[in-house]
Amino acid sequence: MSSPVSGIFSGFTKLCKGLAVILVGGHIVVQLLPVSVTYLALIPARTIPFGWNLITAGYIEQSVHGVVVSTLGLLFLGKLLEPVWGSKEFLKFIFITNFLTSVCVFVTAIALYYVTMQEKYLYMPLSGFHGVLAGFLVGIKQIVPDQELHLLKIKVKWLPSLMLLLSIAISFFTPESATYLPTLIFGTYIGWIYLRYLQRKPESKLRGDPSEDFAFSTFFPEFLRPITDPIASIFHRMLCGKSEVPSDSQGYTLGGSPLLGSDPIEASRRRERGARALEERLAAEKLAAGRSSEEQPIDVNDRV
C-alpha cells in the first residue's frame, strides 16, 4: 500500500539515483580513508599537479548534513529539471557547472591568499555539490519562474537570490564561510551563464535564453536594477560582442547577424514545457496520494 509520503519520494530518475550513489559513496570513502580528501577535495596549493580535483571536489561531501542536503537536492530538483532538459543535457549542465565553479573558486582562493597572505586559503579542503545545487535553482527559475511556493508564499524565481542572501548573511557569523560561500556564488552565476548563453536546444538549433524574464537584473529587486544593468551589459558584451538589444527586436546580434539562442519565442516555449512538466508531476503525485487514501479504509475493513 502506497502513502502520500511514498508518493513524494517516488519518480526519481535513474540518472539522479546514480549520481546520488556517487555522492554517498564519495562521503563514505573520505570517512573511511581521511587521507583521500587530500587527493579528491579542492586544495588550492595542491591543485597543481592534482588538477583532477577541479572535477572530483564537487562530488565529495565531507559532512553528514552535507551529503544529506546534496543528495535530497539532487533527487528532487533533478526530478523537475531532467525531464525538461533531457538526460544528456542535464548531465552536461552538472559537469560544466561543477568544473567552472571549481576553477573560479580556485582562482578566488589564490587571490585571497595574495591579498591577505593567510595560508589557510591555500590549504583548506574545499568540496561539495552545493555549487551545482545553486545552478539547479537557476534552472528552476528559468523554467517555472512564476510558480509559487505555498509554504513560503514566494515565487520560484526568487529562490536563487534568497539562497545567496541568506548564505551571505550567515557568513558574517560563521568562520568557515570561505568553504561554501564562493562555491554558492559562482555556482549560481555559472549556472546562469550556461543557461543564458550556452545551452543548446536540439529541436531549434539555438543556444541560450535571451528572454527579459531571465536577464541578470531579475536576480535583484527593481530598485537595484539601474545599478545592475550596466554591470550586466559589460559581461554581455564580453560574451556576445554587443550590448543588449531593445526588447522589441528578435534577439541578440553579433556583427549584424542573429546570434544562436536569440529566439524569445523558443524561450517562452521552454518555460511552458517546464510548467507543464511540473504540473503533470504534481498531478501524478496527488493521484498516487488519493489512491493510497482510498485503499487504506479497504485494508482496515478486510482486517476486521
Side-chain angles (χ1 to χ4, degrees), residues 8 10-13 16 72-87 90 136-137 139-144 147 149 156 159 270-271 273-283 285:
I8 295 175
S10 64
F12 301 132
T13 66
C16 288
L72 292 178
L74 167 64
L75 292 174
F76 282 99
L77 295 178
K79 184 166 67 170
L80 298 176
L81 291 172
E82 187 182 342
V84 178
W85 291 348
S87 299
F90 181 73
F136 282 169
L137 291 181
I140 298 295
K141 168 187 171 71
Q142 180 195 37
I143 63 174
V144 284
Q147 182 74 29
L149 298 176
V156 168
L159 283 181
R270 182 166 55 255
R271 287 193 297 273
R273 288 197 302 270
R276 187 163 57 250
L278 178 60
E279 291 174 358
E280 292 174 353
R281 189 166 294 278
L282 292 176
E285 292 179 355

Side-chain angles (χ1 to χ4, degrees), residues 19-221:
L19 292 172
V21 170
I22 292 176
L23 293 179
V24 175
H27 174 71
I28 294 175
V29 168
V30 297
Q31 294 303 311
L32 296 179
L33 300 172
V35 69
S36 63
V37 173
T38 304
Y39 301 96
L40 298 177
L42 175 60
I43 301 177
R46 296 174 178 172
T47 298
I48 301 176
F50 300 156
W52 60 79
N53 60 31
L54 292 172
I55 297 176
T56 59
Y59 308 103
I60 300 299
E61 291 289 352
Q62 300 180 53
S63 63
V64 174
H65 68 272
V67 72
V68 171
V69 171
S70 293
T71 301
L72 292 178
L74 167 64
L75 292 174
F76 282 99
L77 295 178
K79 184 166 67 170
L80 298 176
L81 291 172
E82 187 182 342
V84 178
W85 291 348
S87 299
K88 182 179 180 180
E89 182 60 36
F90 181 73
L91 188 61
K92 182 180 177 183
F93 176 85
I94 291 176
F95 179 82
I96 292 178
T97 302
N98 173 61
F99 175 70
L100 293 182
T101 297
S102 295
V103 171
C104 292
V105 170
F106 168 74
V107 173
T108 301
I110 298 298
L112 287 174
Y113 166 72
Y114 281 108
V115 170
T116 64
M117 298 307 295
Q118 297 183 28
E119 291 190 353
K120 67 176 184 179
Y121 293 115
L122 293 180
Y123 293 99
M124 57 182 177
L126 306 171
S127 66
F129 198 68
H130 45 286
V132 176
L133 293 182
F136 282 169
L137 291 181
V138 179
I140 298 295
K141 168 187 171 71
Q142 180 195 37
I143 63 174
V144 284
D146 295 322
Q147 182 74 29
E148 187 176 272
L149 298 176
H150 298 292
L151 294 178
L152 301 178
K153 300 298 181 182
I154 61 171
K155 291 186 176 181
V156 168
K157 65 181 180 180
W158 293 114
L159 283 181
S161 305
L162 291 176
M163 177 272 296
L164 288 179
L165 181 63
L166 181 62
S167 300
I168 293 173
I170 294 176
S171 68
F172 289 104
F173 305 99
T174 55
E176 301 86 9
S177 60
T179 62
Y180 67 86
L181 187 57
T183 304
L184 291 174
I185 293 175
F186 287 121
T188 301
Y189 188 64
I190 294 299
W192 176 79
I193 287 289
Y194 179 79
L195 296 175
R196 178 72 166 173
Y197 298 105
L198 303 177
Q199 188 181 49
R200 183 182 293 276
K201 307 298 180 297
E203 66 276 11
S204 61
K205 297 182 180 180
L206 299 177
R207 286 182 182 270
D209 181 354
S211 64
E212 291 297 324
D213 294 334
F214 198 55
F216 182 73
S217 59
T218 61
F219 288 86
F220 301 89

Side-chain angles (χ1 to χ4, degrees), residues 210-212 236 242-253 262 264:
S211 64
E212 291 297 324
H236 179 75
K242 192 173 182 178
S243 59
E244 292 281 359
V245 296
S247 59
D248 58 349
S249 73
Q250 291 301 312
Y252 299 143
T253 60
S262 61

